[in-house]
Amino acid sequence: PGDITVAIAQKGRNTLTLDLSDPYRWTCTAATGGGEQPETTQRLYLSGIDDGVSGKWTFDNFLTLFNEDELNYAGLCDVNSKWGYKFYPEKDVWNPCYGLASGDATTGTLALNGNDNVPAPAAGLHLITASLKKLSYTTTPVTSVQVAGIGDDWSLIQMQTTDKAGVYRA
């Protein structure tokens, strides 16, 4: 490998294509023009996920983007929901939203601007994942947490629950 040089013919918006598929012949080309890349939101907000605690639909809980290509989000949420919830790409903005297309509290599909709420799982700490590319979601209850590597001991040590949801001690 060595330097790759590319000539850009015109000032302004250009699309740059880097081809690394042949390890012996890397190429880079520039073409005039190109569309705007949509900005991917780093968080997906879950309004209604804790309305049993807060008494209202807030944007205080969110999932974090972990795979931009697949638009996959995940996070831990202390769920206590009376009416279910929806997913929102922007904080404090009610549209667009992703509501229930089909499914239950554990797994299902989403619909852009869907009218129905995603059913809430039983109250407690849950790992929630959502894919805006596949328009799907899953919830998994967190029933135990283990830790390893303390003092270079790599055996799993069970952590004990505390009075506060989502806080464990070992």
Side-chain angles (χ1 to χ4, degrees):
D3 292 342
I4 297 174
T5 304
V6 62
I8 299 176
Q10 186 174 339
K11 182 178 178 179
R13 184 170 298 278
N14 288 272
T15 300
L16 187 65
T17 304
L18 180 62
D19 183 349
L20 304 176
S21 62
D22 180 349
Y24 298 102
R25 189 171 176 270
W26 292 350
T27 62
C28 188
T29 57
T32 303
E36 296 241 353
Q37 287 290 92
E39 186 174 324
T40 301
T41 181
Q42 297 299 304
R43 291 183 172 173
L44 194 58
Y45 296 89
L46 287 79
S47 191
I49 200 77
D50 71 346
D51 65 323
V53 175
S54 66
K56 56 188 173 190
W57 281 50
T58 68
F59 289 86
D60 296 338
N61 297 280
F62 58 86
L63 309 180
T64 303
L65 179 69
F66 71 89
N67 183 322
E68 188 169 356
D69 292 337
E70 295 297 317
L71 295 176
N72 290 338
Y73 296 81
L76 291 173
C77 292
D78 186 15
V79 177
N80 187 350
S81 176
K82 293 181 178 183
W83 312 110
Y85 58 97
K86 290 184 180 179
F87 298 93
Y88 299 85
E90 292 184 60
K91 185 175 184 167
D92 298 323
V93 177
W94 293 101
N95 282 308
C97 71
Y98 293 87
L100 180 71
S102 67
D104 56 27
T106 305
T107 185
T109 59
L110 300 169
L112 178 59
N113 296 322
N115 290 326
D116 295 330
N117 296 337
V118 173
L125 189 65
H126 292 264
L127 171 64
I128 300 176
T129 64
S131 171
L132 296 187
K133 187 171 184 178
K134 294 179 182 175
L135 292 175
S136 63
Y137 68 90
T138 63
T139 62
T140 306
V142 176
T143 57
S144 67
V145 176
Q146 298 173 332
V147 64
I150 296 177
D152 210 26
D153 177 3
W154 293 96
S155 57
L156 294 174
I157 300 168
Q158 185 67 40
M159 299 187 77
Q160 303 301 312
T161 58
T162 65
D163 293 337
K164 186 173 180 179
V167 178
Y168 297 83
R169 184 171 287 137

